[in-house]
Amino acid sequence: MPAAEEPGRQRKRGVELERAIKDATIAELACGGYGSVTIESVAARAQTGKGSIYRRWPTKQELVLDSLGDLLAGPLLGAVEMQLDDKISTRDAILTLVRRITKLMSGLGGDAMRSIMGESLRDEAFCGTFECDFFDPRKQVLIGLLERGVRRGEVRPEAVSVLVPEMLAGTLIHRVVVRRRPISDAELVELVDGFVMPAISPR
Amino acid sequence: MPAAEEPGRQRKRGVELERAIKDATIAELACGGYGSVTIESVAARAQTGKGSIYRRWPTKQELVLDSLGDLLAGPLLGAVEMQLDDKISTRDAILTLVRRITKLMSGLGGDAMRSIMGESLRDEAFCGTFECDFFDPRKQVLIGLLERGVRRGEVRPEAVSVLVPEMLAGTLIHRVVVRRRPISDAELVELVDGFVMPAISPR
DNA sequence: GCACTAGTGCACGTTTGCGTTCCTTATCCA
DNA sequence: TGGATAAGGAACGCAAACGTGCACTAGTGC
């Protein structure tokens, strides 16, 4: 609904307007991928005009990449920080992390992730951005958990491997985001207890 | 190069022409996703005319879906049949399968898979088709391996779980197809020996 | 050799969407 | 209060692409 159809409705300006435009872009992207995004539909959803968009981004492509970049760095798919209770075991910490990731991917984060993956599959350059800005930082969180586990005697030193986060991320993202199939808590427990813990625990 | 620009060049007909059109569609799809596919570029690549395409498929959408359907069932991503030597261990059989999947995904199969996943992310109905026609049959191959392992005493009965193929498929596809990062044979061995075998072996 | 079928190439109408321009209106601040 | 800045809306030119139609050409079989 264009703002001007509602006389007296306040216009967005500055950062607020940019936020609305980027959010609208992500929403349109989630609907049907890059090809289904039009500047007109983004403007309508953001309740703004195309001129305001073109004042900020010279092309549709740059708008999409900027919006996805914000998404990568934003709170919805944000850095998965964990404040660990000293007492929590490595197993419980990993399970908590996996539950959090799953919850995120099962909601709006799933749509967001589909948008990002769609662009990643389409655009090899963006694939590199996805790797650096999204995947690597999250991988480090889990590597950190494993290193903490080594210090606590709960993880074999040689088990600190990138395959642990890659296995967890790959399995969850493929299941929930790509195939759109919910995963139960029992399956998450089975994943951690059945695959991860035997792989990392002291023998 | 249009056929008629080369006088005397034989025109494709019937099934051969349809094959060429579908192959051209998949190739265009792999380049930049659904939005970048045009009927004109497909026709050019297949060395045919748009009329021949529209004689067979009423819309671009139906051409793309038909082509992806063929891909799902075709030799490139074909049913991963394994003729197992009676002597081969469950571990070696799984490793052989994983190496074969990886080799497939690292070549033209990777481009094909990106096309399919791109459409799957974009189109929820196609996602279901992907599940039934691609994922489920391949999952059964690995379940079959696990069941054979139970009979041979190499696999715990309760370890026959869909999470085994899902974990392997998710990890490999995410790593090689989505993130476009090669995986070494050493990492494949680590994946099987470090994660799968501890998860399924008798204790 | 001819009739029939099928394919190629090109022109076409139509629609869609990108990006631009400009006038009007709203907002902000001195 | 007024000037400066920014936003909204709509029209526009242009290019691209979908899908159609048709004349001409190639292939096939009797």
Side-chain angles (χ1 to χ4, degrees):
Chain A
M1 186 75 65
E5 280 188 41
E6 296 179 40
R9 181 194 200 112
Q10 295 225 317
R11 292 175 171 181
K12 301 184 188 70
R13 288 171 64 92
V15 174
E16 185 194 352
L17 177 56
E18 285 179 29
R19 180 77 274 132
I21 293 170
K22 286 174 173 176
D23 289 347
T25 301
I26 295 302
E28 293 289 320
L29 206 48
C31 283
Y34 185 86
S36 74
V37 173
T38 74
I39 298 296
E40 182 139 354
S41 61
V42 169
R45 190 187 280 264
Q47 294 180 338
T48 190
K50 296 201 300 183
S52 300
I53 295 177
Y54 282 106
R55 182 173 293 114
R56 290 168 169 79
W57 297 279
T59 66
K60 168 181 157 178
Q61 168 84 350
E62 289 192 48
L63 168 61
V64 167
L65 290 179
D66 197 16
S67 303
L68 286 172
D70 268 27
L71 198 55
L72 285 167
L76 197 57
L77 300 174
V80 191
E81 289 170 10
M82 294 188 62
Q83 291 172 346
L84 295 176
D85 186 330
D86 276 352
K87 299 189 191 75
I88 196 171
S89 70
T90 301
R91 183 260 183 196
D92 289 348
I94 291 176
L95 187 52
T96 301
L97 183 65
V98 155
R99 281 173 172 146
R100 186 183 295 182
I101 291 170
T102 298
K103 188 174 180 181
L104 187 74
M105 298 297 160
S106 302
L108 291 174
D111 282 345
M113 198 63 192
R114 261 169 228 115
S115 304
I116 287 170
M117 285 182 67
E119 187 66 15
S120 196
L121 288 164
R122 215 179 65 84
D123 181 340
E124 196 163 349
F126 184 79
C127 180
T129 300
F130 168 72
E131 187 74 14
C132 291
D133 294 358
F134 179 84
F135 203 81
D136 282 344
R138 283 150 185 80
K139 189 192 294 182
Q140 287 311 316
V141 169
L142 194 38
I143 294 291
L145 272 187
L146 294 178
E147 286 168 347
R148 172 184 176 273
V150 171
R151 293 197 292 277
R152 290 165 63 103
E154 294 171 337
V155 175
R156 301 196 321 277
E158 67 272 23
V160 179
S161 161
V162 299
L163 279 183
V164 178
E166 291 199 7
M167 188 277 279
L168 282 172
T171 304
L172 292 177
I173 290 174
H174 195 71
R175 168 71 180 254
V176 179
V177 176
V178 177
R179 293 169 54 218
R180 304 172 194 251
R181 297 179 88 79
I183 190 166
S184 68
D185 198 73
E187 288 178 295
L188 293 181
V189 170
E190 185 185 342
L191 191 63
V192 172
D193 288 341
F195 290 88
V196 178
M197 296 318 295
I200 63 172
S201 296
R203 291 199 181 95
Chain B
M1 186 76 63
E5 281 189 40
E6 296 180 39
R9 182 195 201 113
Q10 294 227 318
R11 289 175 172 180
K12 302 182 188 72
R13 286 172 65 93
V15 173
E16 186 194 352
L17 178 56
E18 285 179 29
R19 180 75 274 133
I21 293 170
K22 286 175 173 175
D23 289 348
T25 301
I26 294 302
E28 293 289 320
L29 206 48
C31 283
Y34 185 85
S36 75
V37 173
T38 73
I39 298 296
E40 183 140 351
S41 62
V42 170
R45 190 187 279 264
Q47 294 180 335
T48 188
K50 296 201 299 184
S52 300
I53 295 177
Y54 282 104
R55 182 173 291 113
R56 291 166 167 80
W57 296 278
T59 66
K60 166 180 157 178
Q61 168 86 350
E62 289 192 49
L63 167 62
V64 167
L65 290 179
D66 196 17
S67 302
L68 287 172
D70 269 28
L71 198 55
L72 284 168
L76 197 57
L77 300 174
V80 191
E81 290 170 11
M82 293 188 62
Q83 292 171 347
L84 295 176
D85 188 329
D86 275 352
K87 299 191 188 74
I88 195 172
S89 70
T90 302
R91 183 259 183 197
D92 288 349
I94 291 177
L95 187 52
T96 300
L97 183 66
V98 154
R99 281 172 172 147
R100 186 182 296 180
I101 291 171
T102 298
K103 188 173 179 181
L104 187 74
M105 298 296 161
S106 302
L108 291 175
D111 282 344
M113 198 64 190
R114 263 170 226 114
S115 304
I116 288 170
M117 285 181 68
E119 187 67 13
S120 195
L121 289 165
R122 213 179 67 84
D123 180 341
E124 197 163 347
F126 184 80
C127 181
T129 300
F130 168 71
E131 188 74 14
C132 292
D133 293 0
F134 179 83
F135 203 81
D136 282 345
R138 284 153 185 76
K139 190 191 295 180
Q140 288 310 316
V141 168
L142 195 40
I143 294 291
L145 273 187
L146 295 177
E147 285 167 349
R148 172 184 173 276
V150 172
R151 291 196 292 277
R152 290 164 64 103
E154 294 172 339
V155 175
R156 299 195 324 276
E158 66 274 22
V160 179
S161 161
V162 299
L163 280 184
V164 178
E166 291 199 7
M167 188 276 280
L168 282 172
T171 303
L172 291 177
I173 290 173
H174 196 70
R175 168 71 179 252
V176 179
V177 176
V178 177
R179 294 168 53 216
R180 306 172 193 250
R181 298 180 86 80
I183 189 166
S184 68
D185 197 71
E187 287 178 296
L188 293 181
V189 170
E190 185 185 343
L191 191 63
V192 172
D193 288 341
F195 290 87
V196 179
M197 295 318 296
I200 64 173
S201 299
R203 291 199 182 97

